[in-house]
PDB file of all heavy atoms in Angstrom:
ATOM      1  N   SER A 207      98.030  94.139 131.337  1.00 97.00           N
ATOM      2  CA  SER A 207      97.216  94.733 130.274  1.00 97.00           C
ATOM      3  C   SER A 207      97.993  95.813 129.533  1.00 97.00           C
ATOM      4  O   SER A 207      97.954  95.889 128.303  1.00 97.00           O
ATOM      5  CB  SER A 207      95.905  95.295 130.831  1.00 97.00           C
ATOM      6  OG  SER A 207      95.047  94.223 131.185  1.00 97.00           O
ATOM      7  N   LEU A 208      98.731  96.632 130.281  1.00 98.00           N
ATOM      8  CA  LEU A 208      99.556  97.667 129.644  1.00 98.00           C
ATOM      9  C   LEU A 208     100.647  97.011 128.786  1.00 98.00           C
ATOM     10  O   LEU A 208     100.869  97.402 127.634  1.00 98.00           O
ATOM     11  CB  LEU A 208     100.189  98.571 130.708  1.00 98.00           C
ATOM     12  CG  LEU A 208     101.006  99.749 130.160  1.00 98.00           C
ATOM     13  CD1 LEU A 208     100.102 100.757 129.454  1.00 98.00           C
ATOM     14  CD2 LEU A 208     101.783 100.452 131.283  1.00 98.00           C
ATOM     15  N   ALA A 209     101.297  95.980 129.341  1.00 98.00           N
ATOM     16  CA  ALA A 209     102.356  95.280 128.598  1.00 98.00           C
ATOM     17  C   ALA A 209     101.786  94.640 127.335  1.00 98.00           C
ATOM     18  O   ALA A 209     102.371  94.738 126.254  1.00 98.00           O
ATOM     19  CB  ALA A 209     103.004  94.222 129.490  1.00 98.00           C
ATOM     20  N   GLY A 210     100.617  93.998 127.466  1.00 98.00           N
ATOM     21  CA  GLY A 210      99.973  93.381 126.305  1.00 98.00           C
ATOM     22  C   GLY A 210      99.633  94.422 125.255  1.00 98.00           C
ATOM     23  O   GLY A 210      99.827  94.199 124.057  1.00 98.00           O
ATOM     24  N   GLY A 211      99.150  95.578 125.710  1.00 98.00           N
ATOM     25  CA  GLY A 211      98.815  96.666 124.785  1.00 98.00           C
ATOM     26  C   GLY A 211     100.047  97.148 124.033  1.00 98.00           C
ATOM     27  O   GLY A 211      99.989  97.404 122.826  1.00 98.00           O
ATOM     28  N   ILE A 212     101.163  97.246 124.734  1.00 98.00           N
ATOM     29  CA  ILE A 212     102.411  97.686 124.091  1.00 98.00           C
ATOM     30  C   ILE A 212     102.854  96.660 123.044  1.00 98.00           C
ATOM     31  O   ILE A 212     103.263  97.016 121.936  1.00 98.00           O
ATOM     32  CB  ILE A 212     103.512  97.930 125.160  1.00 98.00           C
ATOM     33  CG1 ILE A 212     103.160  99.187 125.960  1.00 98.00           C
ATOM     34  CG2 ILE A 212     104.896  98.071 124.511  1.00 98.00           C
ATOM     35  CD1 ILE A 212     104.037  99.437 127.172  1.00 98.00           C
ATOM     36  N   VAL A 213     102.736  95.369 123.368  1.00 98.00           N
ATOM     37  CA  VAL A 213     103.091  94.319 122.398  1.00 98.00           C
ATOM     38  C   VAL A 213     102.192  94.428 121.156  1.00 98.00           C
ATOM     39  O   VAL A 213     102.658  94.317 120.019  1.00 98.00           O
ATOM     40  CB  VAL A 213     102.968  92.910 123.035  1.00 98.00           C
ATOM     41  CG1 VAL A 213     103.154  91.818 121.986  1.00 98.00           C
ATOM     42  CG2 VAL A 213     103.991  92.744 124.152  1.00 98.00           C
ATOM     43  N   ILE A 214     100.900  94.697 121.376  1.00 98.00           N
ATOM     44  CA  ILE A 214      99.970  94.874 120.251  1.00 98.00           C
ATOM     45  C   ILE A 214     100.382  96.085 119.411  1.00 98.00           C
ATOM     46  O   ILE A 214     100.396  96.035 118.177  1.00 98.00           O
ATOM     47  CB  ILE A 214      98.518  95.027 120.781  1.00 98.00           C
ATOM     48  CG1 ILE A 214      98.034  93.696 121.357  1.00 98.00           C
ATOM     49  CG2 ILE A 214      97.575  95.516 119.674  1.00 98.00           C
ATOM     50  CD1 ILE A 214      96.748  93.794 122.169  1.00 98.00           C
ATOM     51  N   GLY A 215     100.766  97.164 120.085  1.00 98.00           N
ATOM     52  CA  GLY A 215     101.233  98.355 119.373  1.00 98.00           C
ATOM     53  C   GLY A 215     102.485  98.062 118.547  1.00 98.00           C
ATOM     54  O   GLY A 215     102.621  98.541 117.416  1.00 98.00           O
ATOM     55  N   LEU A 216     103.393  97.257 119.099  1.00 98.00           N
ATOM     56  CA  LEU A 216     104.615  96.887 118.376  1.00 98.00           C
ATOM     57  C   LEU A 216     104.276  96.021 117.166  1.00 98.00           C
ATOM     58  O   LEU A 216     104.868  96.164 116.093  1.00 98.00           O
ATOM     59  CB  LEU A 216     105.579  96.145 119.308  1.00 98.00           C
ATOM     60  CG  LEU A 216     106.204  96.994 120.427  1.00 98.00           C
ATOM     61  CD1 LEU A 216     107.025  96.124 121.378  1.00 98.00           C
ATOM     62  CD2 LEU A 216     107.076  98.101 119.841  1.00 98.00           C
ATOM     63  N   SER A 217     103.298  95.138 117.336  1.00 98.00           N
ATOM     64  CA  SER A 217     102.851  94.294 116.225  1.00 98.00           C
ATOM     65  C   SER A 217     102.318  95.158 115.081  1.00 98.00           C
ATOM     66  O   SER A 217     102.667  94.951 113.908  1.00 98.00           O
ATOM     67  CB  SER A 217     101.765  93.328 116.713  1.00 98.00           C
ATOM     68  OG  SER A 217     100.946  92.933 115.651  1.00 98.00           O
ATOM     69  N   ALA A 218     101.474  96.146 115.434  1.00 97.00           N
ATOM     70  CA  ALA A 218     100.896  97.034 114.410  1.00 97.00           C
ATOM     71  C   ALA A 218     101.994  97.855 113.749  1.00 97.00           C
ATOM     72  O   ALA A 218     101.945  98.126 112.547  1.00 97.00           O
ATOM     73  CB  ALA A 218      99.845  97.944 115.050  1.00 97.00           C
ATOM     74  N   THR A 219     103.010  98.229 114.544  1.00 97.00           N
ATOM     75  CA  THR A 219     104.152  98.989 114.006  1.00 97.00           C
ATOM     76  C   THR A 219     104.917  98.149 112.989  1.00 97.00           C
ATOM     77  O   THR A 219     105.235  98.607 111.888  1.00 97.00           O
ATOM     78  CB  THR A 219     105.096  99.395 115.162  1.00 97.00           C
ATOM     79  OG1 THR A 219     104.363 100.201 116.076  1.00 97.00           O
ATOM     80  CG2 THR A 219     106.300 100.165 114.644  1.00 97.00           C
TER      81      THR A 219
END
Side-chain angles (χ1 to χ4, degrees):
Chain A
S207 288
L208 184 67
I212 289 171
V213 172
I214 290 168
L216 291 174
S217 155
T219 300

